[in-house]
Amino acid sequence: MGPVHPLATEGNVVRAELAAGRTLPPATPWPTPAALPPLEWNEVHAWVSPLHISWDERIALAKVLDTEERDRANRFRFPKHRWEFVVARGTLKEVIGRYLGFPADQVHLGSGAKGKPYLLRPETSIDLRFNLSHSGDYFLIGVAKGRELGIDIERMRPDLADDGMARTSFSEREVTAFRALPPEFQERGFFSCWSRKEAFIKATGEGVSYGLQDFDVSLAPGEEPKLLGCRRDVTATSRWMLRALDPVPGYAAALVAEGHDWRVRCFHWPSERTTEERPTAARGLSYLPSAAAGDGTESRA
């Protein structure tokens, strides 16, 4: 018998978790469409999907990654983070491929100077834009035609929602609004602000280099989700529109896209990768990232 690939051991762990009845994350209220909804020019589609899926589903998604993406997966130190990248990136390529009418393994992505992904191939007349975020047990994908967008999801954690973190990451206006919230609303307000700010800086393509203190978003529960102002770009409020999303209980999420002439439609991305095959050390492993490589600890795909 030849050597056992390191990921075969990870497969055993995954199967053990499933057999033991691993605690499932809360279900999403977003509908699962029977067919891919048409993407109109005045729409942005948001898709939610679970990160922790069966071993066979992970194998199928790993097979659509190209060499650069497998190398990137290798840079994650821990198997959990490696597989989260595989699942999120592979599903992103599936979603893009479905909109464009191409198999997922024919979808090739590039990255901008600050890491925002864009379509390299195939060549197509469809100006598809997209963005991805993951946190906890879920990830979100946003898709639009001809308009830039950013999307973010955050699992709410009470240990992070405090005044110190707010002063580090929020603008003065946002810190004041956060402090004014009753204690029972501060966790929701904190992560509403966090996800909205992340979605905005991702939409611009600048990421954290944009300057988190240079713009303000609304955060109070019941207040209209909105980009309130931007000291770096006075035209930002007229260029971008912000929408809050509610994909899963216990999470905060937001979407920012160009223009004020669009609506968002929200869906659950279904799992259609089923097989009766039992995973083995030999099947398909040449497509998978090595468990021995790299020591990176990236948390966003």
Side-chain angles (χ1 to χ4, degrees):
M1 175 184 289
V4 176
H5 193 283
L7 286 182
T9 302
E10 295 176 24
N12 292 335
V13 172
V14 173
R15 293 193 296 278
E17 289 177 347
L18 296 173
R22 180 183 183 275
T23 300
L24 296 176
T28 174
W30 292 1
T32 304
L36 186 74
L39 178 61
E40 305 296 341
W41 70 269
N42 63 341
E43 292 180 341
V44 178
H45 288 183
W47 295 89
V48 64
S49 194
L51 277 169
H52 303 118
I53 57 179
S54 73
W55 176 252
D56 284 326
E57 290 175 308
R58 297 183 193 199
I59 294 287
L61 287 172
K63 290 180 179 180
V64 309
L65 302 187
D66 59 28
T67 300
E68 187 278 331
E69 290 164 331
R70 294 195 296 273
D71 289 343
R72 182 174 172 184
N74 285 338
R75 296 196 290 271
F76 291 87
R77 181 175 184 178
F78 299 107
K80 176 182 184 294
H81 299 146
R82 188 157 49 246
W83 280 113
E84 286 175 349
F85 173 82
V86 169
V87 171
R89 186 76 167 198
T91 304
L92 175 63
K93 296 177 73 169
E94 282 191 337
V95 171
I96 295 169
R98 195 74 63 84
Y99 279 106
L100 298 180
F102 287 87
D105 60 0
Q106 293 183 23
V107 173
H108 297 276
L109 307 179
S111 294
K114 303 296 174 61
K116 188 174 185 179
Y118 63 89
L119 182 67
L120 275 178
R121 297 188 303 277
E123 293 185 2
T124 173
S125 61
I126 302 174
D127 183 15
L128 199 71
R129 315 287 179 91
F130 46 87
N131 204 232
L132 167 71
S133 175
H134 67 77
S135 179
D137 293 310
Y138 285 94
F139 63 99
L140 287 180
I141 293 172
V143 186
K145 287 182 179 178
R147 68 177 80 233
E148 290 295 343
L149 72 155
I151 201 165
D152 190 67
I153 182 171
E154 301 292 339
R155 182 176 60 183
M156 293 191 292
R157 293 174 48 187
D159 58 310
L160 292 181
D162 59 28
D163 192 77
M165 285 294 293
R167 284 187 286 108
T168 300
S169 304
F170 298 171
S171 69
E172 290 184 11
R173 182 176 181 177
E174 292 161 347
V175 171
T176 299
F178 172 73
R179 289 172 174 168
L181 293 175
E184 63 270 25
F185 294 129
Q186 286 193 343
E187 181 182 356
R188 168 58 69 176
F190 179 93
F191 284 101
S192 292
C193 186
W194 188 295
S195 61
R196 294 168 191 181
K197 292 179 79 68
E198 284 273 350
F200 176 71
I201 63 176
K202 293 175 71 177
T204 67
E206 293 294 317
V208 294
S209 67
Y210 195 91
L212 294 174
Q213 285 78 28
D214 290 341
F215 64 97
D216 313 306
V217 299
S218 60
L219 60 86
E223 184 180 7
E224 179 188 2
K226 193 174 182 180
L227 177 64
L228 299 173
C230 181
R231 287 161 292 285
R232 179 169 171 173
D233 178 7
V234 295
T235 68
T237 55
S238 60
R239 179 184 177 189
W240 303 98
M241 187 167 70
L242 185 155
R243 286 288 178 263
L245 305 176
D246 190 18
V248 188
Y251 289 74
L255 171 69
V256 172
E258 283 183 304
H260 290 255
D261 58 347
W262 55 271
R263 63 170 182 155
V264 60
R265 299 179 66 195
C266 301
F267 307 101
H268 169 238
W269 185 260
S271 170
E272 298 176 349
R273 302 170 295 274
T274 58
T275 176
E276 296 300 319
E277 293 182 275
R278 290 182 59 83
T280 67
R283 180 171 58 83
L285 292 180
S286 62
Y287 291 93
L288 297 176
S290 167
D295 62 354
T297 56
E298 296 175 89
S299 61
R300 283 286 185 271

